Amino acid sequence: MTDPLRDPDHLYQYEPYLRMLARLKHRRAYQAKVGVSDIVQQSLMQAVQAIDDFRGSSEAELRAWLRQILVRNIAHLDRDMHRDKRDVRREQSIEQQIHQSSMRLEGWLAGSGPTPSHDAAVGEHVLRLARAIESLPEGQREAVRLHYLEGLKLSEVADRLDKSTSAVAGLLHRGMKALRRELATLGGTQLR
């Protein structure tokens, strides 16, 4: 019997999750040359090729392994675009920011606490939430991402999006309403 964590088809269900995390560090200057989807596809192809190297035994460890591959690809892109030599501090910073955002995402989901099936359930809910966030209109998606996943204040989100704080509050309200509605139709997943 094949381990589902090592099934290459299983890895592709993480595409929306990785795309959402990649948006956190994808610089606007890169968008004309390399898109978020390109980085995610490259990361997934590398994961499929290296699946035998994965040593974990849980969904959480698989997500962490996929995040490491994604971070490495973003750091390489950053280095290549700036023609600098590898800066380990920058790569560690990217890894830390993506890890914090993924932890915010997991913490954002209401849970009943650790149980034997808790890890698998969290993984499933994280994927549902990532897909739901990715399906939001761009303005709502960016506002939700910046405020809830990057932890920026409302005024900081407004500055980044070049909008008023009331416009951002509206985007967040509509985005959260859409997310709750979408997740309610999927059943079982609730936002705190």
Side-chain angles (χ1 to χ4, degrees):
M1 184 170 164
T2 306
D3 181 356
L5 293 177
R6 284 165 178 72
D7 178 7
D9 292 333
H10 180 73
L11 295 177
Y12 284 96
Q13 76 177 355
Y14 287 92
E15 184 176 356
Y17 171 72
L18 293 174
R19 189 178 322 114
M20 184 190 58
L21 292 175
R23 286 183 203 282
L24 298 173
K25 292 310 298 173
H26 191 259
R27 296 182 188 206
R28 292 192 193 283
Y30 303 166
Q31 289 176 350
K33 296 183 185 232
V34 180
V36 168
S37 292
D38 298 325
I39 295 169
V40 170
Q41 285 303 315
Q42 179 182 0
S43 299
L44 285 170
M45 287 187 329
Q46 288 174 351
V48 167
Q49 291 171 349
I51 194 66
D52 292 335
D53 297 336
F54 173 61
R55 299 289 176 241
S57 60
S58 70
E59 291 285 335
E61 291 169 322
L62 180 62
R63 287 191 307 273
W65 184 69
L66 290 169
R67 284 192 310 266
Q68 286 177 337
I69 294 170
L70 178 69
V71 164
R72 195 169 38 248
N73 285 324
I74 291 171
H76 289 171
L77 175 65
D78 192 47
R79 180 198 65 215
D80 293 346
M81 296 303 250
H82 288 97
R83 302 286 183 234
D84 292 337
K85 293 188 178 187
R86 182 173 182 212
D87 184 345
V88 174
R89 291 173 305 199
R90 184 170 45 220
E91 189 171 332
Q92 289 171 341
S93 172
I94 291 169
E95 183 174 3
Q96 181 180 18
Q97 290 170 359
I98 286 180
H99 175 73
Q100 287 172 343
S101 295
S102 75
M103 292 299 101
R104 281 189 191 102
L105 179 68
E106 291 181 22
W108 201 16
L109 296 165
S112 59
T115 65
S117 63
H118 180 70
D119 184 43
V122 167
E124 183 180 322
H125 296 313
V126 164
L127 294 178
R128 284 180 178 175
L129 182 55
R131 283 187 203 107
I133 291 171
E134 283 295 307
S135 72
L136 290 173
E138 183 178 357
Q140 292 174 16
R141 180 180 63 230
E142 289 303 300
V144 166
R145 180 183 64 78
L146 291 168
H147 184 65
Y148 291 105
L149 300 181
E150 286 195 36
L152 297 182
K153 296 176 185 173
L154 195 62
S155 60
E156 294 169 324
V157 175
D159 287 344
R160 286 257 190 108
L161 297 180
D162 198 25
K163 297 191 180 298
S164 68
T165 53
S166 60
V168 169
L171 289 170
L172 287 170
H173 175 75
R174 289 188 303 279
M176 290 301 294
K177 187 175 177 180
L179 286 175
R180 285 187 179 101
R181 186 174 48 247
E182 174 72 20
L183 295 175
T185 65
L186 296 172
T189 305
Q190 297 178 2
L191 298 179
R192 288 186 184 188

